[in-house]
Amino acid sequence: MAKVFITGSSQGLGLAAGRLLAVQGHEVMLHARNQARADDVHRVLPAAANVLVADVSTVASMRELANQANELGRFDAVIHNVAIGYREKRRIETADGLSQLWAVNVLAPYVLTALMTRPARLVYLSSELHRRVDGNLDDLQWAHRPWHGTRAYSDTKFQDALLAMAVARLWSGTLSNAVEPGWVPTRMGGPGATGDLAAGAVTQAWLATSDDTGARVTGGYFFHRRPARLHPAAGRTDLQDRLVARCAAVSGVDLP
């Protein structure tokens, strides 16, 4: 039995992965943005061992969630599922002066990775949309470009894959991989999505817990338990180091 923490898991893919892991007998810790959502997920998935509460749009709340998680001891795996979508019509700024989209989708996984007791496995949620970006890290906050929600979201999913590859390279004792779940009918994906929600949660659960040879790898990028095409720029160590350095500078948290 593995002990697994899933961020952004009060609904959608995170909850689906939590439900699957709980059915398999694993100890599952979930995460919700606020207490109301935590209460809802407790009712929906009472088998969850705990639901941690934090709105990870600020660095302080990211630190608080890491502290909450560390109080529960070391996890065997952490699935970085937390994200907001591409439907925002304008750039929303956090209390830290950051793009909310970037703070939640990229900085929160980075800070939690850096501050939580290092697990045996890490899984980062990306998207097939990551292959549509140019891989440029010059304007992470979208402060100098006209706002485009889908493109900004795609940028964050590229950076999540980049972070997964960086951790795989820098942490030899941890298996770090990225996943694209497909276009599935979540609140983010919308009712018109053509993918299967249950199938979209399988790969991250598999990478987090399975003893299959295919799951015991690092630096991989997967779709439906098979290796998928990773943006070529995600393998560039200079870009990996640049993203890590920028996240460290913005958050004040160094990656060990």
Side-chain angles (χ1 to χ4, degrees), residues 4 13 26 29 42 71 85 101 113 130 146 149 154 177 201 203 232:
V4 184
L13 284 163
H26 299 291
M29 310 285 182
H42 269 302
E71 287 176 0
L101 184 69
T113 298
H130 94 280
S154 301
N177 297 285
T203 305

Side-chain angles (χ1 to χ4, degrees), residues 29 67 73 102 118-119 126-127 161 195 200 242:
M29 310 285 182
N67 289 338
W102 186 80
R118 193 179 303 187
S126 184
S127 165
R242 186 176 173 190

Side-chain angles (χ1 to χ4, degrees), residues 17-28 45 47-48:
R19 182 179 286 113
L20 175 59
L21 289 167
V23 168
Q24 293 173 350
H26 299 291
E27 183 180 4
V28 180
L45 188 59

Side-chain angles (χ1 to χ4, degrees), residues 110-131:
Y110 167 84
V111 170
L112 291 169
T113 298
L115 292 182
M116 285 182 62
T117 303
R118 193 179 303 187
R121 306 191 195 194
L122 286 161
V123 183
Y124 299 84
L125 268 288
S126 184
S127 165
E128 65 89 13
L129 291 173
H130 94 280
R131 290 188 288 272

